[in-house]
Amino acid sequence: MPCFLLAVLTAEERVMACASQSIKVSLRFGAKAFRKSCVPGYLKSTVSFPASQTLNGRYSSIRVEDRAYGSNLTVGALKDRGLNATLSSTNGSLKVPEERVTVLVIGGGGREHALCYALERSPSCDAVFCAPGNSGIAQSGDATCIPDLDTTNSEAVISFCRNWGVGLVVVGPEAPLVAGLANDLVKAGIPTFGPSSEAAALEGSKDFMKKLCDKYNIPTAKYRTFTNPADAKQYVKDQGAPIVVKADGLAAGKGVVVAMTLGEAFEAIDTMLVEGSFGSAGSRVIIEEFLEGEEASFFALVDGETALPLESAQDHKRVGDGDVGPNTGGMGAYSPAPIVTEELKKKVMESIILPTVEAMAAEGCKFVGVLYAGLMIEKKSGLPKLIEYNVRFGDPECQVLMMRLESDLAQVLLAACRGELGKVSLTWSPELATVVVMASEGYPGAYKKGTLIKNLDEAEQVSPAVKIFHAGTAFDTDGNFVAAGGRVLGVTAKGKDIEEARAKAYDALDVVDWPEGFYRHDIGWRALKHRHMAAH
């Protein structure tokens, strides 16, 4: 029987497969390099190989009957790409060597698209599924999207992994981690990159994180925690403005207010503690000293004991040019960040990251996953202080990191799951990467959904160094992309320096036709400033 690979595609697409006789197999895997692959059903399917209509004596089309939906799909057999996948003559199932891995990414935003993109390029990765994914991820061919898999139901996720031979789950967003998805998957014996719910409290509760810092002498801004609005306001009066007000729990990146006046601080306290705008996440607030300096993002992979730093990145939180307006989830980023020197990286690892890893182990909840430290490099001391922890990749920082990563991401994340990061070294592109976020008009406030987006393919063709990551897109009834969220696209580019990377990204943005979208025009200005200072 000849060697071939199967890839699940949409019902309209035709496929080719090495076939010289009629045979039926049980399709258990998708293969690498999916194309437009949002699958309307993903249970085991019966595949028929007709002996007739072969092309060049080597290929024939395949028809797949999907048992879950009773509909016909089209499935593709791709060229081997060196994977040596074979059909077993005993049971007719597609088998893949044990050292290869099929990956499920949980989530459906720009961060998850970037992870799928890096995993799809990983030589050891046979297939990438993304649940729920989004229309842009599916159309790009970077993963097969499973929109109807309920990722809040651990049993459903476990069942999918077992049915499809998933050997690694990568959890993108924080909410499933805080809810305990990783706990359930690990208990079921499925390697999972992402911390337990206990360890995810580093992000799930700012009060937990602050108390850990206090106990283990990890440098952070001084703070107090309150549940009573009157007490909180009195503390603000005593401390004065500017001051920072934070919701304790998860608030989708919107639970932090940098109050420049007492009035702004009082309003933030009322919003969280009196009006309950963030629900239970805002039932407790942290009032924190305002630190003056430059923010930076620091990422490290952690296997419970060992921490492996990633390349640096810096994002832009404010919605408007010149860093004005309300905070957002992030309007752009670039990597590397000039402010994170090798000396500073060493200080961050020694004073913040490693003490945190050791503290979590001492507290009985070892951390496995990515630690994303939001840092303030203090203006007066030049030393890093921890602003907050996230327990997943940043968005949009993940986009620029995955553009620059040259290592096999699947194997790196598996090593973290197995406690073997000490054996791993990472390879990065020497080029700089930048991402500019296109958002719906009105974001981070109310915005309109369903607005038409055109020319995305043309925008990506501006340069081979351009990649558009989809954060919030969907298809309308005519198959056109429309906006389905606040942050919608991450237009990303690489270049030999910040000027070249920025130019490519903004050239691509000029091609995108979306009148209801907007973006910042100054992404990377800090890196430009550092570059100009260094030049003089």
Side-chain angles (χ1 to χ4, degrees):
M1 183 64 60
C3 296
F4 63 93
L5 294 175
L6 295 176
V8 180
L9 302 180
T10 58
E12 293 77 25
E13 309 228 332
R14 285 183 64 80
V15 269
M16 314 307 263
C18 300
S20 57
Q21 56 185 318
S22 180
I23 188 170
K24 289 186 177 181
V25 302
S26 173
L27 178 65
R28 291 183 58 84
F29 287 80
K32 211 173 165 186
F34 292 100
R35 294 292 177 263
K36 297 183 180 177
S37 48
C38 222
V39 188
Y42 51 80
L43 299 182
K44 294 181 186 178
S45 303
T46 300
V47 186
S48 297
F49 293 75
S52 60
Q53 300 178 345
T54 58
L55 301 178
N56 299 324
R58 295 185 63 233
Y59 300 102
S60 69
S61 61
I62 307 171
R63 181 167 295 280
V64 180
E65 180 184 347
D66 187 274
R67 295 181 186 172
Y69 293 84
S71 59
N72 287 326
L73 302 179
T74 346
V75 178
L78 304 182
K79 290 186 178 179
D80 188 321
R81 298 179 75 174
L83 300 185
N84 296 322
T86 61
L87 265 179
S88 165
S89 60
T90 56
N91 61 11
S93 62
L94 186 68
K95 293 188 176 180
V96 179
E98 288 182 1
E99 67 271 19
R100 314 201 57 78
V101 64
T102 295
V103 183
L104 170 64
V105 175
I106 302 293
R111 165 184 50 226
E112 288 75 37
H113 191 178
L115 290 169
C116 290
Y117 168 75
L119 287 163
E120 197 278 333
R121 291 183 303 150
S122 296
S124 69
C125 188
D126 274 340
V128 185
F129 293 107
C130 188
N134 66 46
S135 298
I137 297 173
Q139 192 273 346
S140 71
D142 293 321
T144 296
C145 293
I146 314 297
D148 58 347
L149 177 59
D150 182 3
T151 56
T152 66
N153 183 337
S154 295
E155 286 304 315
V157 176
I158 291 167
S159 177
F160 178 88
C161 291
R162 287 174 173 163
N163 286 339
W164 286 83
V166 170
L168 172 64
V169 176
V170 180
V171 185
E174 62 275 15
L177 294 168
V178 173
L181 178 59
N183 301 56
D184 296 335
L185 290 170
V186 170
K187 187 177 180 181
I190 299 167
T192 302
F193 183 77
S196 65
S197 59
E198 296 82 6
L202 276 174
E203 178 172 1
S205 170
K206 294 177 181 65
D207 183 62
F208 173 87
M209 184 273 285
K210 285 289 194 177
K211 287 176 178 173
L212 191 84
C213 289
D214 279 351
K215 185 175 179 179
Y216 292 93
N217 298 313
I218 297 166
T220 186
K222 70 175 183 178
Y223 77 103
R224 286 278 301 278
T225 301
F226 298 93
T227 56
N228 183 290
D231 293 343
K233 290 177 182 178
Q234 185 58 53
Y235 181 76
V236 167
K237 284 181 184 177
D238 294 342
Q239 298 301 312
I243 200 162
V244 182
V245 182
K246 297 181 176 181
D248 177 54
L250 299 178
K254 299 173 185 176
V256 177
V257 175
V258 180
M260 303 310 292
T261 66
L262 294 181
E264 289 178 5
F266 294 162
E267 183 182 352
I269 290 167
D270 285 340
T271 297
M272 296 175 194
L273 290 180
V274 179
E275 298 167 17
S277 296
F278 297 108
S280 60
S283 62
R284 184 165 49 182
V285 300
I286 285 78
I287 310 293
E288 190 176 81
E289 74 170 314
F290 174 82
L291 296 177
E292 190 176 358
E294 190 168 339
E295 290 188 49
S297 303
F298 193 95
F299 298 88
L301 303 181
V302 182
D303 67 4
E305 296 180 357
T306 301
L308 180 66
L310 302 181
E311 277 287 90
S312 61
Q314 193 164 32
D315 74 340
H316 299 257
K317 289 292 188 193
R318 301 280 186 153
V319 71
D321 289 357
D323 288 333
V324 300
N327 272 343
T328 69
M331 294 300 295
Y334 53 92
S335 173
I339 192 171
V340 184
T341 62
E342 286 302 313
E343 181 184 0
L344 183 62
K345 184 184 291 188
K346 183 180 179 183
K347 286 179 182 175
V348 172
M349 287 296 292
E350 291 176 350
S351 67
I352 296 175
I353 300 296
L354 292 175
T356 300
V357 174
E358 293 166 3
M360 293 298 284
E363 293 293 315
C365 46
K366 283 189 175 183
F367 188 96
V368 176
V370 61
L371 265 182
Y372 162 19
L375 305 174
M376 180 65 76
I377 315 305
E378 272 204 291
K379 188 175 182 179
K380 59 184 179 183
S381 68
L383 296 175
K385 281 190 175 181
L386 179 66
I387 299 174
E388 65 179 6
Y389 265 131
N390 296 301
V391 297
R392 35 70 187 181
F393 285 99
D395 187 344
E397 295 98 330
C398 185
Q399 286 84 314
V400 288
L401 291 173
M402 294 304 105
M403 280 287 280
R404 294 187 59 221
L405 182 67
E406 294 181 346
S407 299
D408 186 317
L409 181 61
Q411 289 304 308
V412 171
L413 301 187
L414 275 173
C417 296
R418 295 167 178 162
E420 298 174 352
L421 275 181
K423 304 175 183 178
V424 172
S425 60
L426 299 175
T427 303
W428 300 90
S429 166
E431 292 186 297
L432 186 142
T434 187
V435 57
V436 182
V437 170
M438 288 196 81
S440 296
E441 199 172 276
Y443 175 81
Y447 54 84
K448 185 179 178 182
K449 292 185 179 181
T451 54
L452 188 64
I453 306 170
K454 298 179 181 178
N455 296 350
L456 292 182
D457 286 343
E458 292 83 352
E460 273 200 329
Q461 291 165 11
V462 163
S463 166
V466 169
K467 173 71 177 178
I468 296 179
F469 294 110
H470 289 247
T473 58
F475 287 126
D476 65 12
T477 54
D478 296 321
N480 300 307
F481 278 117
V482 294
R487 293 188 298 165
V488 176
L489 301 169
V491 180
T492 312
K494 288 195 298 185
K496 67 178 184 294
D497 52 34
I498 183 65
E499 288 93 345
E500 184 175 276
R502 274 172 46 94
K504 289 176 180 177
Y506 281 111
D507 285 347
L509 282 159
D510 287 341
V511 177
V512 177
D513 182 5
W514 181 26
E516 295 82 6
F518 77 96
Y519 55 89
R520 282 184 56 164
H521 298 79
D522 62 347
I523 300 302
W525 70 264
R526 290 188 184 90
L528 284 170
K529 181 180 175 182
H530 276 276
R531 183 171 168 82
H532 292 154
M533 288 174 62
H536 294 90

